[in-house]
Amino acid sequence: MVHILKRARNLRQLLWIRNGPGAIQLPKEVTKIHLEFHPKLIGSAFRGARHFWHEMMPRMKYRNPTVPMSVTRHKDPNGGAYLHIYTSTATPASSQTTNPPGTANASPEASNTLTPDTTEPTHTFEIKTLHESEILDLLVEKTGAVVLRTPPEEAQEMEEFKEFEVRAEKDRIEVRERLLRERREAQLLKLARGEVPNAA
Amino acid sequence: MAPARSFLAPLSRTTVPFTSSVRPSIPQLAFAPLEQLSKRWILRGTKIENKKKKANKNFTNYDLREIEQFSLIDAMHYIRAFEVGRNPTSSKYDLAVRFRTQRSGPVVRNRLRLPHPVKTDIRICVIAPPDSKVADDARAAGASLVGEDEIFAQVKEGVVNFDRCICHIDSLQKLNKAQLGRILGPKGLMPSTKLGTVVSNVAQAVRNMVGGSEYRERDAVVRLAIGQLGFAPEAMQANIKAFMESLRKDIGQMSSEKEVHEVVLSSTNAPGFTLNGEYRGPNSISPKELSGPL
C-alpha cells in the first residue's frame, strides 16, 4: 500500500479539484458536455483541448456530478477539436421534435447502452489551437455558468501548499547532492582499499 | 565528520598495498590518529558489522486519527471527478484493506462472487468429454470452450483463446498425457489440484469463476477490483459489504490474530481515499447524483 504520508499528501490534491479555473456551476439546462480531440498535441493544435480535459474537466465534474462529461479521441491528425454542449431547452426550439424535453434529448445513457447518440449538440465550438482558459471562457459565456469563488481559508491553504512544493523541490536537490557526494566518497574509499568494483 | 573522512581516504590509499590482503578493514583505523576520528564514526562502523537491526515482528501501522477519512459517497464523488473523460470500461474502483498482523504466518487468500461482478467477459475453458453431461452443465454455467482432444490440438498449435482453464477430474490423465504443461504452464493456465482447478463439479467451479474474483494478502494488504466506474453507490456498498464479510469469515478461520486496520478506496486514476465506514457524511451529495452516467 502506498505510504500513509504520501497518500495524505496526495489528498491535498482535493483542494486542487475543489478550486481553481473550471470550478463552475453549470445551469440546469446543460445535459451533457462532450469533448473531441486527437490524443497527441501536434504542435499546439490539441494542447488546449487536452489540457482542458486534464485540468478543468475534473473540477467541472466535481461541481456538477450529474452532468455527463465524455471525451472521444479521434485518430486523424488533421481533424478538428470540438467542444459540444447539449442543453435540454434548446432542442425543441431548433428541431421540431415531438419528444418531451428531458427524455430523448438528454441522451445521457449513450455510452452505457451502446446506442449511437443521435441528438444534435446545441452548441459546437471549434477549439483547435485555443488555450484551455479560452475554452473555459467560451463555455462559461455560452452556458451562463456561475464561476465559484475559492473560500479564503482554502485559498490560504493552497498558497501554503504551493510554498511547500517550492521548498520540497529545493530540499530534493540538496538531498540528491548530498547522497551523490556520499556515494562518490564511498566509492573512492573502496577503490583506495583495493576492492576493485566490477563496473570499473 | 567531513574532516575525518577526507583525512581517512588518502591515508587508507597509502596503506592498502601492504595490508589489504592480510588485514580486515577495521584495524586500519588504528593508523589514523584517534582524536581525529569522531567517536560516532567508529561506533557506526562497528555497529554495522556486529549487530543487525532486529526486524519488527508486526507490520508497522500508523495512527489514522490524523488522516482525513471519507464516507463512501464523498469518496465516489471525488473519484468520479478524477476519472472524467476516461474510458469507463477500462477504469475501475479498487479497494485495499490493510490488516494489523504479523509479518510471518498464514495469509488471507480466497475468492468470492461479488453481488455486482466487475469483470464478466472472462473466457473459461473446460476440459471434459465434449458430449457428456458434465460438458453440458459447464456450457450452461458459462464456459466458452468445452472439449478434450480438439482443445489439446488447438493449444498445441498455439491458439489459446481463454483466460481460465478447468479440468474435470476424470480427464486429468488425458490432459497430462497431452503434455500441455509447457504451453499452458507459463501462462498460469495449467489445471492442477493444488490450485483448485481440477474439480469434479465443473459447473459449480465455472459459476464461481464467471464474475468471481480472487484476492490474496500481500504485505498485510488485500487488494481487489471492487467495481466498475459506472456503478451506483448502492451497488458499490453491496460489493464492499460482501467483500468485508468474506474477509471477516476468512480471518475467523485463522489461527493467528488479524484485524482490519484501514480500508482505502481508489481507482485507476484517482488517489486513495481512506473510508470511515459510513455511507453518507453530513455534507454529502445525494446518492442519486452519482448514479448517472459519467
Side-chain angles (χ1 to χ4, degrees):
Chain A
M1 200 180 261
V2 181
H3 194 276
I4 192 164
L5 287 178
K6 204 170 178 185
R7 265 187 287 135
R9 217 173 296 135
N10 272 346
L11 283 184
R12 296 180 79 164
Q13 282 188 31
L14 299 181
L15 281 174
W16 164 90
I17 211 167
R18 276 203 293 264
N19 306 305
I24 54 175
Q25 188 74 54
L26 293 168
K28 280 201 177 96
E29 294 84 54
V30 178
T31 52
K32 187 184 167 187
I33 288 178
H34 185 79
L35 207 60
E36 197 181 332
F37 56 86
H38 189 269
K40 296 254 164 79
L41 302 182
I42 311 182
S44 61
F46 299 102
R47 175 168 308 195
R50 201 183 145 94
H51 285 192
F52 181 75
W53 157 62
H54 213 259
E55 285 170 22
M56 312 211 170
M57 263 174 97
R59 296 195 187 105
M60 280 160 56
K61 182 70 183 171
Y62 177 73
R63 294 296 178 179
N64 310 278
T66 45
V67 180
M69 296 179 192
S70 55
V71 173
T72 50
R73 296 159 182 90
H74 60 69
K75 294 207 169 109
D76 180 14
N78 300 318
Y82 300 101
L83 171 69
H84 304 289
I85 304 168
Y86 298 76
T87 59
S88 55
T89 47
T91 320
S94 60
S95 61
Q96 294 293 321
T97 49
T98 49
N99 294 328
T103 53
N105 46 25
S107 70
E109 299 286 340
S111 61
N112 282 11
T113 53
L114 295 174
T115 47
D117 190 3
T118 49
T119 42
E120 285 289 309
T122 318
H123 307 284
T124 297
F125 304 111
E126 167 80 51
I127 50 170
K128 209 170 170 178
T129 69
L130 284 190
H131 190 262
E132 58 264 31
S133 59
E134 290 171 324
I135 302 172
L136 184 68
D137 291 344
L138 205 65
L139 180 77
V140 169
E141 188 192 323
K142 288 293 168 186
T143 57
V146 182
V147 178
L148 299 168
R149 284 233 310 265
T150 310
E153 62 268 28
E154 293 197 352
Q156 198 194 340
E157 213 173 317
M158 284 170 89
E159 205 54 46
E160 279 171 18
F161 193 45
K162 237 179 232 165
E163 281 169 25
F164 170 82
E165 293 264 277
V166 172
R167 211 167 52 233
E169 190 49 47
K170 224 176 79 191
D171 288 352
R172 225 168 272 146
I173 291 169
E174 260 176 36
V175 168
R176 198 186 305 131
E177 272 174 7
R178 202 184 64 210
L179 197 75
L180 286 177
R181 199 175 59 232
E182 277 180 8
R183 273 190 203 154
R184 211 168 41 237
E185 277 172 13
Q187 185 78 13
L188 282 175
L189 256 177
K190 244 186 177 179
L191 270 175
R193 281 202 214 101
E195 299 166 16
V196 183
N198 296 333
Chain B
M1 201 63 204
R5 275 198 181 184
S6 52
F7 175 69
L8 192 68
L11 178 85
S12 50
R13 212 174 285 145
T14 55
T15 53
V16 156
F18 307 104
T19 56
S20 63
S21 56
V22 190
R23 300 184 186 198
S25 56
I26 293 289
Q28 278 181 23
L29 294 176
F31 287 104
L34 262 180
E35 62 273 17
Q36 290 208 20
L37 286 173
S38 80
K39 208 173 179 185
R40 202 165 139 231
W41 199 93
I42 299 176
L43 270 180
R44 205 171 66 175
T46 48
K47 216 179 187 179
I48 292 166
E49 296 207 356
N50 297 339
K51 257 191 200 170
K52 262 190 187 164
K53 204 188 156 199
K54 210 175 176 187
N56 197 345
K57 250 171 75 181
N58 296 327
F59 283 103
T60 320
N61 280 321
Y62 293 87
D63 196 346
L64 294 178
R65 276 171 298 186
E66 298 287 321
I67 194 171
E68 199 180 352
Q69 294 190 311
F70 297 82
S71 69
L72 177 64
I73 288 197
D74 287 347
M76 283 180 71
H77 185 185
Y78 280 117
I79 287 175
R80 280 169 72 102
F82 274 103
E83 295 280 358
V84 70
R86 306 275 181 183
N87 183 358
T89 51
S90 63
S91 290
K92 290 187 179 60
Y93 286 108
D94 67 37
L95 197 73
V97 179
R98 171 120 190 161
F99 294 126
R100 279 190 288 270
T101 179
Q102 289 193 340
R103 278 177 191 275
S104 59
V107 294
V108 172
R109 184 182 187 183
N110 207 343
R111 69 165 70 110
L112 90 157
R113 267 179 77 82
L114 292 170
H116 304 269
V118 180
K119 195 171 164 46
T120 47
D121 54 347
I122 196 169
R123 290 163 306 173
I124 298 173
C125 162
V126 172
I127 294 169
D131 43 7
S132 62
K133 189 178 171 294
V134 176
D136 293 341
D137 287 348
R139 278 200 200 95
S144 59
L145 210 60
V146 183
E148 277 180 342
D149 297 330
E150 303 150 35
I151 294 178
F152 298 159
Q154 257 190 16
V155 170
K156 271 183 189 162
E157 280 169 26
V159 184
V160 182
N161 47 8
F162 48 85
D163 313 308
R164 297 284 155 83
C165 190
I166 299 176
C167 181
H168 189 253
I169 205 155
D170 297 336
S171 306
L172 185 63
Q173 271 198 329
K174 258 191 164 176
L175 175 75
N176 287 340
K177 242 181 223 168
Q179 298 194 323
L180 299 178
R182 294 179 111 192
I183 306 163
L184 292 181
K187 295 181 202 287
L189 292 172
M190 188 70 189
S192 87
T193 326
K194 251 192 214 163
L195 293 173
T197 43
V198 175
V199 288
S200 50
N201 190 351
V202 170
Q204 177 75 36
V206 171
R207 225 170 287 133
N208 279 343
M209 247 177 206
V210 175
S213 19
E214 285 180 26
Y215 57 85
R216 179 194 177 140
E217 177 188 340
R218 283 200 176 85
D219 292 345
V221 183
V222 176
R223 299 175 183 82
L224 185 79
I226 198 83
Q228 292 166 12
L229 211 53
F231 277 2
E234 293 86 11
M236 285 292 292
Q237 191 191 22
N239 270 2
I240 293 175
K241 265 190 180 161
F243 179 49
M244 295 309 288
E245 186 61 26
S246 163
L247 276 183
R248 208 173 56 83
K249 271 185 202 153
D250 292 339
I251 292 173
Q253 286 168 358
M254 284 190 165
S255 51
S256 69
E257 275 188 21
K258 269 186 214 293
E259 279 174 79
V260 172
H261 177 67
E262 189 183 10
V263 181
V264 179
L265 183 71
S266 179
S267 82
T268 312
N269 299 298
F273 294 86
T274 301
L275 298 183
N276 59 9
E278 277 165 28
Y279 182 56
R280 289 188 69 166
N283 300 322
S284 296
I285 55 172
S286 132
K288 269 196 198 121
E289 293 186 51
L290 295 174
S291 307
L294 290 161

